Amino acid sequence: MPVRATKLRPVVQLRADGSSRDRADTLAGEEPLEIRVAGAPYSVTMRTPGGDFDLVAGFLVSEGVVWEPAQIASLAYGAGVNPDGSPSYNVVEVRLAPGRPGPDPSLARHVYTSSSCGICGTASIEAVSRASRFAVADDDLELPLAELLALPGRLRDGQRIFDSTGGVHAAGLFAVAEDGSAELVCLREDVGRHNAVDKVVGWALREGRLPLRRTVLQVSGRASFELVQKAWMAGVPALSAVSAPSTLAVELAASAGMTLVGFSRGDRVNVYAGAERVLA
């Protein structure tokens, strides 16, 4: 499959001194992806192409549809063509394992999920506050402050698409050893911050790693309610963001027993919930 994570586009660069020049600029790809479950349309999300099966698997974890790899029988690209007749790769067909019920039709997304909103189109507020099958309050994760402070830089070092475009979010999953050292085990980029997280979670599901005990999910943007929920649904005990959390994100993290970190920059962080896991 051709991965269309970036595309070259012509641009006119204007300068304050009155000069200009024509050049090519590398942009982050953004295309719709329709998710079908058992042949029925379920959601359309705007994403950066690449890692589509991980994205769909992670999305289904976030929706509470699956939590074990064996619950997905198959993932495959569905029908769809571009104007030039080539395959679009913008439809993914999901077949669940025999006996595994599909998503509740009343919770289906009735409008597309944009790259800026991961819960837009959810049919009811009850669908937003799903409970995870994985407990995180008793997770024995402990992370030295110095290691926590280093995570944003390590995430940034691995952002290849951002290096080319400056236009994508990133999520990195770090596994924490008994000695407190953190190893980056998965990094994904996407125009949607929720998609980047879903791609990480979907990778973990397909690798048989759920629940993600003793891990930290480092994200490049803010910590929204939806990102805390996605982390909780995957059994992640700690979420760290370089920017601010929302009030609902903090409330959900505290309720779930998660550690939530914001403004992780340079030599300081704000710990909004679960500060006992951070060893200063």
Side-chain angles (χ1 to χ4, degrees):
M1 174 196 132
V3 176
R4 305 172 305 278
T6 63
K7 294 182 179 180
L8 283 175
R9 289 290 185 265
V11 62
V12 178
Q13 187 177 76
L14 305 178
R15 296 181 178 273
D17 63 6
S19 63
S20 66
R21 69 182 179 117
D22 296 333
R23 51 163 293 191
D25 197 14
T26 303
L27 304 181
E30 182 176 28
E31 297 180 16
L33 179 69
E34 180 182 351
I35 300 169
R36 298 177 183 169
V37 180
Y42 185 60
S43 181
V44 177
T45 185
M46 301 301 295
R47 97 302 187 193
T48 297
D52 291 335
F53 291 170
D54 287 342
L55 170 60
V56 172
F59 178 77
L60 293 178
V61 171
S62 300
E63 295 285 289
V65 177
V66 300
W67 54 94
E68 297 176 357
Q71 292 171 329
I72 297 179
S74 66
L75 293 163
Y77 285 105
V81 295
N82 291 316
D84 62 2
S86 63
S88 73
Y89 298 106
N90 283 339
V91 177
V92 169
E93 299 270 7
V94 183
R95 187 167 62 87
L96 299 177
R100 179 69 208 145
D104 184 341
S106 69
L107 303 182
R109 304 303 178 91
H110 296 302
V111 298
Y112 79 92
T113 302
S114 73
S115 57
S116 62
C117 179
I119 58 176
C120 301
T122 302
S124 67
I125 191 64
E126 290 80 8
V128 175
S129 53
R130 298 175 181 86
S132 175
R133 290 181 174 269
F134 304 126
V136 296
D138 63 348
D139 195 294
D140 63 354
L141 170 71
E142 289 186 330
L143 186 64
L145 176 59
E147 197 78 6
L148 177 62
L149 289 169
L151 298 187
R154 295 176 62 187
L155 179 72
R156 178 64 187 86
D157 289 344
Q159 290 182 246
R160 300 293 177 253
I161 300 177
F162 184 87
D163 285 341
S164 299
T165 67
V168 291
H169 294 277
L173 183 70
F174 291 84
V176 181
E178 293 293 337
D179 64 2
S181 60
E183 176 190 4
L184 178 63
V185 294
C186 182
L187 187 154
R188 296 291 184 267
E189 296 177 272
D190 199 280
V191 287
R193 60 179 181 274
H194 52 90
N195 288 338
V197 171
D198 277 340
K199 287 179 178 180
V200 169
V201 171
W203 168 86
L205 174 78
R206 299 175 73 205
E207 291 289 317
R209 288 175 174 252
L210 298 191
L212 288 167
R213 296 186 63 84
R214 293 191 62 85
T215 61
V216 180
L217 184 65
Q218 177 68 53
V219 297
S220 60
R222 63 185 180 89
S224 62
F225 170 87
E226 60 181 330
L227 296 195
V228 172
Q229 178 179 268
K230 288 177 184 294
W232 182 24
M233 295 294 283
V236 176
L239 173 66
S240 174
V242 300
S243 193
S246 67
T247 56
L248 198 56
V250 174
E251 291 171 13
L252 181 61
S255 174
M258 285 179 60
T259 296
L260 179 59
V261 173
F263 292 108
S264 182
R265 304 172 183 174
D267 62 352
R268 70 191 67 183
V269 298
N270 290 347
V271 184
Y272 293 89
E276 66 277 0
R277 290 194 177 102
V278 182
L279 305 180

